[in-house]
Amino acid sequence: MEGKSSYGGNMEYLKATELKLAPPGSDTQEATSGVSTRPKKRAITGPNEQHTKSKVQVVGWPPVRPQRMNSFRARRNETVDESGGMYVKVSMDGAPYLRNIDLKILHGYKELRTILEGMFKCSSLGGAEGYDEEGHAITYEDKDGDLMLVGDVPWEMFVSSCQRLRIMKGSEARGLS
Amino acid sequence: MREEISDMSEDDETGERARWAPDLSKNRSDDSDSGPGPPIGDSPPPFSDQILENVLENVLEFLTSRRDRNSASAVCRSWYRAEAQTRRELFIGNCYAVAPHRAVERFQSIKSVVLKGKPRFADFNLVPFGWGAHFEPWVKSFGAAYRHLERICLKRMSVTDKDLTIIAESFPLFKDLTLICCEGFSTFGLAVIAERCRHLRVLDLIEDYLEDEDDEVVDWISRFPETTTSLESLVFDCVSCPFNFDALERLVARSPSLQRLRVNHHVALEQLRRLMARAPQLTHLGTGTFRSGAGFGEVDPNLDLVSAFGASRSLVCLSGFREIEPEFLPAIYPICANLTSLNFSFANLTAEELNPVIRRCHNLQTFWVLDSVGDEGLQAVAETCRDLRELRVFPLDPSEDSDSSVSDIGLQFISEGCRKLRSILYFCQRMTNAAVVAMSKNCPDLVVFRLCIMGRHLPDRITGEPMDAGFRAIVMNCKKLTRLSVSGLLTDKAFEYIGCYGKLIRTLSVAFAGDSDGGLRYVLEGCTRLQKLEIRDSPFGDASLISGLPFYYNMRFLWMSSCNLSMRGCKEVARNKPNLVVEVIRDGVEEEEEEEIEAVEKLYLYRSLAGARTDAPAFVKIL
């Protein structure tokens, strides 16, 4: 077979050989093929969010298993997100005002608890499973609007799905765990 | 002693006796459990022959290699029978290649089963949900036939809680359950296994997907018997729901034989310390996370952690490290020199954070890491880990447009430092032919070479040329190469080289590559040992598919998706090869559709003695 000779940035050639996902012969825009959907909500894989959409994402490329997709977020010093921070509202039952907290600058649950304790002047806001002696629990609302207990999912996943935080009385939160 | 490779489970087939690897020997047909032989059920032999057969059976007990056993069974009827009587491990590389009842009829004294289901591209969402690979018919057959079954190892199978219950009920001596990339079961099934398999030694759940509703999670850890257990290995990092930690701590305390423990991400360092204190004899530890839990009083977790690791003299393998807080890493310094295997592939570390750890890991043989460490991090690896055999570099941001910090420079470093490298998986965005050529020359022992340049059709970043020359060097210089994954801008020439020089290649993975039918033809005609060929998004059409007709019986399977195939070509293959199952898979099909689309989006074909399967869903058409 003759090798093609015109490389080095010849976009015409690249376009001609570029595979499209539409049926052969059609000239439509590249489209994602049907993604296999699972019947139940998965905690591990969330929707694949792109900061910059230069290409339509192809299914299954790069070939990385679902456990690795969306597992991480950029570290604090390398944040390139244009939105400039990820502020979520925090409410505490019985407190008159809401607060705002930037999840982007935090590294993990420990830091989150420390910051919240400082904000709401509580003596302690819960151990590893979200409860403390005074019975406060930290909960959050996720993308689907469900109320979840903080701490169940990896930190990075929590940051990408948390819409707002709510510190509630432990007795109200029992049903979540 | 289990191989490290199969513990960290991506599809890897290096090593002489790694559990999932076909044997590296000369024969073309390798892993068909039903090798050639006379039909079952012929009349019993004369008395003198029976004595010979008994002698033969005693001898064949010692034969363990699958390949050798298949050869032995082909000698004559007597050997066929003797071999069938003495085979203890059943390996089935494709669950649809043979019917369960047939396997069970031929081999009657099986103690260990290894069964694989879906094609590997199912891991990347290319196989629609519900495609198949159900364990149910198998477990029912085994349950009826194999009272002495001790071990079941499944990969990419669909396993339900009911199947797990059948295991627990059918095999009183059951010892070892290993599930890799399986789905369909939940903590309910795990509870049944824990409770009823009283002799359980190994429960390894590796990259499975569990179907737990949030409010239906079962406390399976508490179901293990209260007495001393014989557990040697408990791996459940993929079980994502919370679990009863106190029960785990008690379980570990009463499992004196426990050597391998990998927990999920609901374990913080304070808890890890407690587990390690209960099991100082551990050899393999998966830490879950590597961060401090909140609100644990004034005890300095770092201090206790240091002494915990200091006391764990037998640790040789560390993994986990999710949500890592790098300030705790110094705790593992005391054991770094003992480590042969380290998995940092979920740890977002910079080169600076990696450096003090890796500089102490002189004896490392297996290293998995994220590309966040950059070329600089890989340089430290190259300078220290002179004994490295397997390296995997995963992308922090697995998307085409991501900015990977590793490149040809990192690959060059590794090739210069790690001369004994046998297996590499390398994700990157920028690569040069020169670096790949250097690796081919510096690492002649390479058995597995998988390069994934994430941007599609990317050429050499310096010369702008296709990556043909690099892969040519790999197949020419790495004379032991059995597994190859290619990427980057590749012409048909690359495939010509692969076909010409890649004579030992058994597994080949192709994506977004090639120019024409010629490319695939080269591979099919040239790679005489080819067993598994998976291709996506490449311009290979019916002519190339048909050119492979003489070879498909010698392969386990062929997968082609988003290529240029049509029904005409696929039907011709099906027509010509009766023992080949040709599946055309369509996305998004709910019911049988009258109108047939000519273009074939996904083709999966495989040799089979069982004929067309009866459990195919509506979106699978078997030609």
Side-chain angles (χ1 to χ4, degrees):
Chain A
M1 281 286 149
E2 288 295 323
K4 297 281 193 281
S5 55
S6 53
Y7 291 123
N10 188 338
M11 285 309 297
E12 193 89 335
Y13 168 74
L14 286 176
K15 191 114 177 88
T17 56
E18 188 174 60
L19 265 305
K20 298 195 198 302
L21 291 177
S26 82
D27 216 1
T28 54
Q29 276 293 318
E30 205 169 353
T32 54
S33 61
V35 180
S36 63
T37 50
R38 294 203 169 269
K40 296 174 189 174
K41 174 167 133 178
R42 290 182 74 160
I44 302 290
T45 55
N48 202 352
E49 291 167 337
Q50 296 296 303
H51 297 308
T52 53
K53 288 192 165 59
S54 54
K55 272 185 191 162
V56 177
Q57 197 74 356
V58 175
V59 173
W61 188 261
V64 161
R65 293 214 181 105
Q67 295 88 336
R68 294 193 179 277
M69 302 295 264
N70 296 325
S71 276
F72 309 96
R73 288 183 63 89
R75 297 279 291 276
R76 170 183 46 160
N77 8 354
E78 297 154 20
T79 301
V80 292
D81 196 45
E82 308 86 273
S83 67
M86 211 202 134
Y87 286 92
V88 295
K89 288 186 186 157
V90 190
S91 64
M92 175 161 161
D93 289 3
Y97 298 107
L98 299 183
R99 300 298 300 272
N100 253 317
I101 185 173
D102 182 4
L103 293 180
K104 271 267 174 62
I105 61 164
L106 302 176
H107 297 109
Y109 290 115
K110 174 170 93 168
E111 212 175 324
L112 174 66
R113 287 196 169 81
T114 311
I115 298 276
L116 291 177
E117 280 167 29
M119 268 186 179
F120 291 96
K121 303 285 191 293
C122 302
S123 51
S124 64
L125 261 181
E129 296 309 316
Y131 293 98
D132 71 343
E133 312 91 57
E134 295 190 357
H136 288 107
I138 311 178
T139 65
Y140 70 102
E141 195 180 299
D142 73 356
K143 282 201 157 61
D144 300 332
D146 296 327
L147 196 62
M148 315 281 285
L149 201 60
V150 159
D152 279 351
V153 300
W155 171 256
E156 290 85 0
M157 197 171 307
F158 162 72
V159 172
S160 65
S161 66
C162 173
Q163 299 297 300
R164 61 182 294 159
L165 286 161
R166 187 176 153 199
I167 303 169
M168 54 182 11
K169 295 257 186 309
S171 49
E172 281 181 47
R174 295 283 171 225
L176 289 175
S177 63
Chain B
M1 181 67 179
R2 291 155 57 114
E3 290 265 347
E4 212 37 64
I5 290 145
S6 61
D7 289 347
M8 297 202 281
S9 75
E10 299 208 358
D11 193 34
D12 189 342
E13 303 190 354
T14 65
E16 277 72 49
R17 290 286 177 266
R19 281 166 69 189
W20 287 107
D23 295 327
L24 303 173
S25 83
K26 300 289 180 225
N27 297 341
R28 180 88 194 239
S29 66
D30 68 327
D31 54 16
S32 158
D33 71 298
S34 48
I40 326 150
D42 48 344
S43 54
F47 183 63
S48 56
D49 286 349
Q50 275 181 351
I51 296 177
L52 279 175
E53 259 182 50
N54 289 342
V55 170
L56 186 59
E57 279 179 22
N58 283 322
V59 170
L60 289 182
E61 286 278 355
F62 295 99
L63 203 63
T64 49
S65 149
R66 212 162 64 229
R67 193 75 48 76
D68 292 345
R69 282 199 156 266
N70 286 341
S71 304
S73 71
V75 169
C76 66
R77 278 204 187 120
S78 180
W79 281 58
Y80 180 88
R81 274 191 300 267
E83 194 282 314
Q85 284 303 315
T86 54
R87 190 179 291 217
R88 300 287 171 250
E89 175 170 305
L90 187 62
F91 175 92
I92 296 172
N94 175 2
C95 64
Y96 288 123
V98 64
H101 73 85
R102 187 164 169 163
V104 155
E105 271 163 30
R106 178 175 167 186
F107 301 108
Q108 312 213 327
S109 319
I110 295 293
K111 285 196 176 162
S112 162
V113 170
V114 175
L115 187 57
K116 297 194 193 182
K118 300 174 205 166
R120 193 178 74 98
F121 276 179
D123 292 351
F124 315 124
N125 287 339
L126 287 180
V127 175
F129 183 74
W131 174 82
H134 303 288
F135 185 47
E136 186 185 354
W138 290 95
V139 74
K140 286 183 170 162
S141 294
F142 294 153
Y146 296 146
R147 280 287 289 173
H148 300 285
L149 192 64
E150 293 179 3
R151 177 178 165 240
I152 292 175
C153 198
L154 304 177
K155 189 165 187 180
R156 296 196 189 96
M157 299 286 297
S158 185
V159 182
T160 63
D161 289 336
K162 188 164 162 230
D163 298 334
L164 294 179
T165 305
I166 294 175
I167 292 176
E169 288 170 350
S170 307
F171 309 119
L173 301 176
F174 196 70
K175 293 194 172 77
D176 180 333
L177 180 65
T178 301
L179 301 177
I180 304 176
C181 298
C182 295
E183 43 84 13
F185 61 99
S186 74
T187 50
F188 179 85
L190 295 183
V192 175
I193 293 284
E195 189 168 351
R196 301 203 216 167
C197 299
R198 299 257 136 186
H199 303 283
L200 199 65
R201 292 197 188 157
V202 173
L203 180 58
D204 283 359
L205 306 167
I206 300 169
E207 299 199 57
D208 305 305
Y209 172 63
L210 274 78
E211 308 267 357
D212 276 305
E213 289 290 355
D214 292 333
D215 53 349
E216 286 172 7
V217 172
V218 173
D219 181 5
W220 58 283
I221 299 270
S222 297
R223 300 292 188 87
F224 282 95
E226 288 294 329
T227 56
T228 303
T229 78
S230 20
L231 273 180
E232 294 169 11
S233 176
L234 181 62
V235 171
F236 64 96
D237 48 314
C238 65
V239 180
S240 59
C241 48
F243 64 93
N244 184 339
F245 178 79
D246 291 336
L248 177 67
E249 192 178 356
R250 288 194 301 273
L251 174 65
V252 168
R254 64 179 189 276
S255 302
S257 308
L258 194 67
Q259 301 218 293
R260 297 189 292 275
L261 178 66
R262 296 200 170 118
V263 299
N264 69 18
H265 65 88
H266 290 284
V267 173
L269 284 171
E270 291 80 3
Q271 295 162 306
L272 186 72
R273 181 189 54 76
R274 285 158 62 182
L275 291 174
M276 292 176 73
R278 299 287 187 181
Q281 76 282 7
L282 286 179
T283 56
H284 297 57
L285 177 64
T287 69
T289 64
F290 208 71
R291 61 171 173 86
S292 170
F296 268 85
E298 276 111 37
V299 176
D300 181 359
N302 201 28
L303 190 59
D304 277 317
L305 204 57
V306 168
S307 59
F309 277 101
S312 298
R313 287 284 144 203
S314 11
L315 277 177
V316 295
C317 172
L318 278 184
S319 60
F321 298 105
R322 294 180 189 246
E323 300 171 53
I324 189 168
E325 288 172 2
E327 66 262 31
F328 293 113
L329 273 178
I332 72 169
Y333 290 172
I335 57 150
C336 284
N338 299 340
L339 290 181
T340 55
S341 172
L342 180 57
N343 182 350
F344 270 160
S345 67
F346 286 100
N348 186 350
L349 295 172
T350 62
E352 289 78 27
E353 287 158 348
L354 173 69
N355 200 39
V357 176
I358 206 70
R359 292 283 178 190
R360 291 174 157 85
C361 295
H362 307 278
N363 292 314
L364 216 54
Q365 299 201 354
T366 300
F367 185 49
W368 293 21
V369 71
L370 282 180
D371 65 357
S372 58
V373 302
D375 291 330
E376 191 187 331
L378 294 180
Q379 185 179 17
V381 175
E383 287 170 3
T384 316
C385 308
R386 298 302 199 172
D387 219 16
L388 200 68
R389 309 295 161 111
E390 176 181 325
L391 175 68
R392 299 198 192 187
V393 181
F394 292 97
L396 177 67
D397 180 6
S399 72
E400 282 187 78
D401 311 323
S402 69
D403 216 6
S404 175
S405 322
V406 302
S407 70
D408 48 283
I409 296 169
L411 192 71
Q412 181 86 28
F413 283 139
I414 293 291
S415 75
E416 287 163 7
C418 307
R419 298 297 176 110
K420 299 187 193 168
L421 204 63
R422 288 195 197 147
S423 171
I424 183 164
L425 169 63
Y426 198 87
F427 283 85
C428 61
Q429 284 288 20
R430 293 156 293 152
M431 186 50 58
T432 61
N433 281 307
V436 179
V437 171
M439 172 147 280
S440 76
K441 291 184 177 159
N442 293 334
C443 306
D445 289 340
L446 276 177
V447 174
V448 173
F449 184 78
R450 297 159 70 189
L451 178 64
C452 183
I453 304 170
M454 292 190 282
R456 289 173 274 159
H457 311 293
L458 285 182
D460 182 313
R461 75 168 173 94
I462 292 179
T463 67
E465 291 188 353
M467 293 300 298
D468 297 348
F471 286 103
R472 172 173 163 228
I474 289 287
V475 289
M476 274 179 71
N477 298 333
C478 301
K479 305 219 186 329
K480 305 179 188 175
L481 197 75
T482 59
R483 181 169 180 186
L484 180 65
S485 294
V486 300
S487 61
L489 181 66
L490 293 170
T491 71
D492 283 349
K493 272 252 168 249
F495 297 102
E496 188 183 344
Y497 302 138
I498 292 172
C500 182
Y501 298 108
K503 294 304 183 187
L504 292 185
I505 292 178
R506 305 169 55 86
T507 306
L508 179 63
S509 206
V510 177
F512 305 100
D515 305 318
S516 72
D517 286 341
L520 181 54
R521 284 182 97 120
Y522 285 130
V523 166
L524 290 169
E525 288 166 9
C527 297
T528 45
R529 299 279 171 84
L530 197 59
Q531 290 291 304
K532 300 186 264 185
L533 180 55
E534 47 189 30
I535 303 173
R536 63 169 295 176
D537 296 275
S538 300
F540 305 134
D542 292 343
S544 61
L545 183 71
I546 290 162
S547 75
L549 278 175
F551 312 114
Y552 294 139
Y553 278 162
N554 292 327
M555 291 168 59
R556 190 188 293 176
F557 73 78
L558 167 66
W559 168 282
M560 289 178 71
S561 58
S562 304
C563 298
N564 287 347
L565 300 176
S566 75
M567 290 299 268
R568 186 193 62 80
C570 298
K571 281 179 178 168
E572 186 165 339
V573 171
R575 199 167 36 237
N576 270 289
K577 292 284 174 188
N579 279 344
L580 213 57
V581 174
V582 180
E583 294 193 11
V584 171
I585 301 168
R586 293 170 294 166
D587 285 317
V589 170
E590 294 297 326
E591 287 110 27
E592 294 288 336
E593 288 182 355
E594 286 303 321
E595 182 200 315
E596 199 175 71
I597 303 173
E598 186 58 23
V600 165
E601 181 57 26
K602 292 174 183 169
L603 167 75
Y604 181 52
L605 67 80
Y606 49 91
R607 66 183 169 197
S608 174
L609 296 169
R613 59 188 174 110
T614 50
D615 64 355
F619 54 81
V620 170
K621 185 167 171 132
I622 299 181
L623 302 180

